[in-house]
Amino acid sequence: MFFEIFRDICLPILILMSLGWIIDRKFDLNLDALVKLNIYLFVPVFIFVRLSTSDLAGGDALWVVFFTLCIIGSMGIGSWLVSRARKDDESERTAMQLSTMFYNSGNWGIPLMTLAFSELGPVVQVFVLATMNITTFSIGLFLASSHQKKEGPFWRQFLPMLRQPSIYAIVSALIIRRFEIPVQSIGFIWEPLEYIAAGLVAFALITLGVQLSKTKPPAIAGRVAWALALRLAVAPLIAIGLTFLFRFSGEMAAILIVGAASPTAVNTALLAHEFKADSRFAAAIVFYSTLIAGFVVALLLFGIKSGWIPWASMPSG
């Protein structure tokens, strides 16, 4: 069963990433342009389409947001304790926190949920992705710049968050839901949006492959090993405990547990680079965690299918 899960769910993800890696090796693609297309077009359109048509009840959505915040907070505390015990300097501690707190719920998480939990998975993941986007460019940005001397008023540190189109996609979708605006009946607007949203899975994974092609990581040892253990082993264990504590069950619990084992978000490496917070280390965690996550996710899905977590289950078929 483990190999069937890996073949049917994780292998398609790795194949698309490999295509991006191969194409970049041959043509040296412009990663900045690909990232911008993801951040400013594919991801916000996907969020808008999924959120405006989501069947997830408001109460469940709030619990998903709270669950995600708890994972982020737990990882922040855990990585701070590890760095403190290792006597890392402030820049190294910041990079450790960024690399473990914020995971790739977009161009990894959405394809994974689409393949593993085709109905409920993408709906739940939209709320996880929205939470990750907002916290990465607020809390994450604050952490990345915390060791630098601040210039200008404090509020200016959060201006990059206001430039993220995903936030406006969330607000727009919530307004449409609240006032029941029939945007889906406007064919010349809705159909292009659906085409773009449907293209996110392939485009995002190919972009991730290009990102990995351009990364030259250090060896897995020391801080790198600690960060990988926190992100890929400790985080899903905490998620298992939180789903039990919050009384999530069935497919919802499985989605949240598997999602917590996602690799480190690419944006964390970008923030570390921008604010001089050991960007080589941050990029290494993105690289290694993305390669290893497929096997961790396959193991988690196998465990869930085998009944290792009694309150979690996967859809049949």
Side-chain angles (χ1 to χ4, degrees):
M1 189 190 299
F2 174 86
F3 292 106
E4 288 179 1
I5 290 170
F6 184 83
R7 180 196 65 199
D8 296 339
I9 296 174
C10 298
L11 190 57
I13 292 175
L14 295 175
I15 288 174
L16 282 169
M17 286 167 49
S18 299
L19 289 175
W21 190 91
I22 292 168
I23 293 171
D24 180 68
R25 288 287 169 170
K26 183 169 181 61
F27 298 109
D28 190 22
L29 301 182
N30 187 326
L31 179 61
D32 187 56
L34 295 175
V35 170
K36 281 182 168 57
L37 280 170
N38 271 284
I39 293 176
Y40 292 100
L41 181 63
F42 283 93
V43 169
V45 169
F46 181 92
I47 288 176
F48 177 80
V49 169
R50 289 289 187 174
L51 196 55
S52 59
T53 59
S54 168
D55 294 327
L56 196 66
D60 289 338
L62 288 176
W63 276 112
V64 169
V65 170
F66 184 57
F67 173 92
T68 307
L69 291 173
C70 286
I71 292 289
I72 293 170
S74 299
M75 287 293 94
I77 294 169
S79 56
W80 184 87
L81 291 173
V82 169
S83 291
R84 184 73 180 257
R86 286 177 43 81
K87 298 181 180 179
D88 294 333
D89 61 36
E90 192 171 1
S91 174
E92 292 171 336
R93 186 166 61 247
T94 297
M96 175 76 83
Q97 288 181 296
L98 289 172
S99 299
T100 55
M101 291 170 66
F102 307 104
Y103 50 91
N104 194 338
S105 53
N107 54 1
W108 168 274
I110 287 172
L112 171 64
M113 293 304 164
T114 302
L115 289 166
F117 310 93
S118 58
E119 297 297 326
L120 184 60
V123 174
V124 173
Q125 193 67 13
V126 163
F127 293 95
V128 175
L129 176 59
T131 307
M132 277 292 164
N133 276 351
I134 292 172
T135 53
T136 299
F137 290 98
S138 55
I139 298 171
L141 190 145
F142 176 77
L143 283 173
S145 61
S146 61
H147 65 285
Q148 291 190 327
K149 182 179 178 181
K150 305 293 190 300
E151 296 181 2
F154 177 78
W155 59 268
R156 291 185 65 87
Q157 308 299 323
F158 296 94
L159 282 180
M161 182 179 70
L162 300 178
R163 301 191 190 107
Q164 298 306 306
S166 295
I167 294 175
Y168 302 103
I170 295 166
V171 173
S172 300
L174 292 176
I175 290 173
I176 284 172
R177 287 174 64 92
R178 175 65 180 83
F179 295 102
E180 298 181 355
I181 301 172
V183 65
Q184 297 176 56
S185 63
I186 309 174
F188 68 91
I189 293 178
W190 189 251
E191 286 189 17
L193 293 177
E194 283 194 314
Y195 290 144
I196 294 171
L200 171 67
V201 171
F203 190 84
L205 288 173
I206 288 170
T207 301
L208 192 55
V210 174
Q211 166 77 14
L212 295 181
S213 169
K214 297 182 183 297
T215 302
K216 296 179 176 60
I220 299 179
R223 284 194 308 134
V224 173
W226 274 106
L228 290 172
L230 285 167
R231 175 85 297 279
L232 297 176
V234 176
L237 289 175
I238 290 174
I240 291 172
L242 288 175
T243 54
F244 179 78
L245 182 66
F246 293 167
R247 298 185 178 179
F248 285 118
S249 62
E251 192 178 354
M252 176 71 83
I255 289 167
L256 294 173
I257 291 167
V258 172
S262 295
T264 299
V266 176
N267 286 332
T268 60
L270 301 179
L271 286 175
H273 177 79
E274 179 71 17
F275 294 98
K276 309 295 188 294
D278 200 352
S279 58
R280 184 167 181 259
F281 167 82
I285 304 305
V286 172
F287 179 86
Y288 287 126
S289 65
T290 302
L291 293 181
I292 299 171
F295 298 95
V296 176
V297 164
L299 182 62
L300 276 174
L301 291 172
F302 171 73
I304 291 169
K305 281 249 187 188
S306 302
W308 294 354
I309 308 169
W311 58 92
S313 64
M314 289 182 63
S316 58

